């Protein structure tokens, strides 16, 4: 299995600012993903973080708003840029272990005021 | 496009009851199905993974079944405890969606002492 450390666990941010969320995995994995979970809803995939190349974004998500870095096979960051109250959500990173089972970090609970 | 539905949306039971959570999906071309547990404001914990070739998986008091042809999975929880209170999510990894997971909306379970 994979152990994922995600930080910060929560934050309260002013509108117009940016927050960078970090995701560290205890072993090398090919596939890393970032999800958003809005209040009372299920998970929506933001993007797939690709090592050594640009992330692949899902429909409705753009790089300018959610820039992603993936410098190596154990680490990724997601930045939520120019935040508004509508960005208040739980953000989760996930990995696909052995190309089979998905594991998730503890989540980052973001509140934008 | 894969769609995943979970029934019921919420369930409240007394401690000790056996219970069944349901998950249905529209496209039977899947690699696997996973059941997750989510505590409020937290990340997801993987409970059980069922490969497309398998019929069921068991872990402790949990048993998950898969009927791929009818697009259904059930999660059976035996002798429920207050500590089982959480939201349970099922997710499928479809053959036509690469490595993406498609999530249901979840079942919010409350086990009353």
């Amino acid at each position: 299995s994979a152990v994922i450390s995600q930080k910060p666990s929560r934050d309260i941010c002013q509108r117009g600012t940016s927050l960078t969320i970090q995701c560290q995995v205890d072993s090398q994995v090919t596939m890393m993903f970032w999800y958003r979970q809005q209040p009372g809803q299920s998970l929506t995939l933001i993007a797939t973080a690709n090592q050594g190349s640009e992330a692949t974004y899902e429909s409705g998500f753009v790089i300018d708003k959610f820039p992603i870095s993936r410098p190596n096979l154990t680490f990724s960051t997601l930045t939520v840029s120019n935040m508004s109250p509508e960005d208040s959500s739980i953000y989760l990173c996930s990995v696909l272990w052995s190309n089979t089972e998905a594991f998730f970090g503890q989540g980052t609970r973001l509140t934008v005021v | 496009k894969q769609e995943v539905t979970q029934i019921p949306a919420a369930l409240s039971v007394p401690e000790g009851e056996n219970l069944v959570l349901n998950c249905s999906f529209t496209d039977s071309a899947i690699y696997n199905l996973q059941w997750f547990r989510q505590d409020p404001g937290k990340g997801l914990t993987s409970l059980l993974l069922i490969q497309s070739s398998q019929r069921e998986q068991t872990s402790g008091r949990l048993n998950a079944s898969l009927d791929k042809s009818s697009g259904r999975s059930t999660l059976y929880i035996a002798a429920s405890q207050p500590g089982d209170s959480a939201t349970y999510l099922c997710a499928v990894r479809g053959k036509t969606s690469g490595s993406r997971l498609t999530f249901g909306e979840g079942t919010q379970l409350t086990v009353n002492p």
Side-chain angles (χ1 to χ4, degrees):
Chain A
S1 65
V3 177
I4 303 170
S5 174
Q6 186 177 336
K7 55 182 180 181
S9 59
R10 59 187 351 180
D11 208 341
I12 300 173
C13 300
Q14 297 291 323
R15 68 176 66 202
T17 62
S18 298
L19 175 71
T20 296
I21 302 167
Q22 299 181 2
C23 180
Q24 177 76 53
V25 190
D26 67 341
S27 53
Q28 294 185 343
V29 291
T30 303
M31 310 292 291
M32 289 184 76
F33 308 89
W34 288 97
Y35 289 85
R36 180 177 73 182
Q37 187 178 32
Q38 294 178 299
Q41 298 190 24
S42 193
L43 279 73
T44 301
L45 180 63
I46 297 171
T48 303
N50 303 307
Q51 195 265 331
S53 64
E54 211 167 83
T56 304
Y57 289 84
E58 298 298 304
S59 176
F61 297 96
V62 294
I63 187 171
D64 289 346
K65 177 66 175 177
F66 298 100
I68 288 171
S69 78
R70 180 88 192 270
N72 56 54
L73 292 175
T74 64
F75 187 79
S76 179
T77 67
L78 168 75
T79 299
V80 186
S81 302
N82 188 25
M83 289 183 285
S84 67
E86 291 72 35
D87 294 319
S88 298
S89 296
I90 298 173
Y91 293 85
L92 301 115
C93 76
S94 172
V95 303
L96 193 64
W97 177 251
S98 294
N99 208 34
T100 301
E101 187 169 1
F103 291 94
F104 283 79
Q106 308 95 315
T108 296
R109 191 168 196 169
L110 171 62
T111 303
V112 183
V113 298
Chain B
K1 178 187 171 188
Q2 179 75 269
E3 293 182 2
V4 180
T5 304
Q6 290 187 246
I7 295 173
L11 183 62
S12 181
V13 300
E15 182 176 5
E17 267 204 13
N18 303 323
L19 56 99
V20 175
L21 308 182
N22 297 290
C23 173
S24 62
F25 47 95
T26 54
D27 185 353
S28 62
I30 64 170
Y31 289 116
N32 55 49
L33 181 146
Q34 261 183 281
W35 283 94
F36 295 91
R37 169 188 172 133
Q38 186 177 30
D39 293 295
K42 303 294 185 182
L44 276 63
T45 300
S46 179
L47 297 174
L48 289 164
L49 168 75
I50 310 179
Q51 301 287 7
S52 62
S53 58
Q54 297 175 321
R55 296 284 295 183
E56 66 178 331
Q57 283 286 337
T58 298
S59 176
R61 294 182 294 108
L62 305 179
N63 176 276
S65 68
L66 174 64
D67 184 342
K68 194 176 65 168
S69 61
S70 67
R72 296 175 189 272
S73 176
T74 62
L75 179 67
Y76 175 83
I77 303 177
S80 59
Q81 303 171 357
D84 295 330
S85 298
T87 296
Y88 291 80
L89 294 155
C90 80
V92 297
R93 193 158 76 92
K95 292 184 176 179
T96 58
S97 61
S99 297
R100 297 178 186 82
L101 286 175
T102 303
F103 282 85
E105 295 292 321
T107 294
Q108 187 173 354
L109 173 66
T110 303
V111 182
N112 302 298

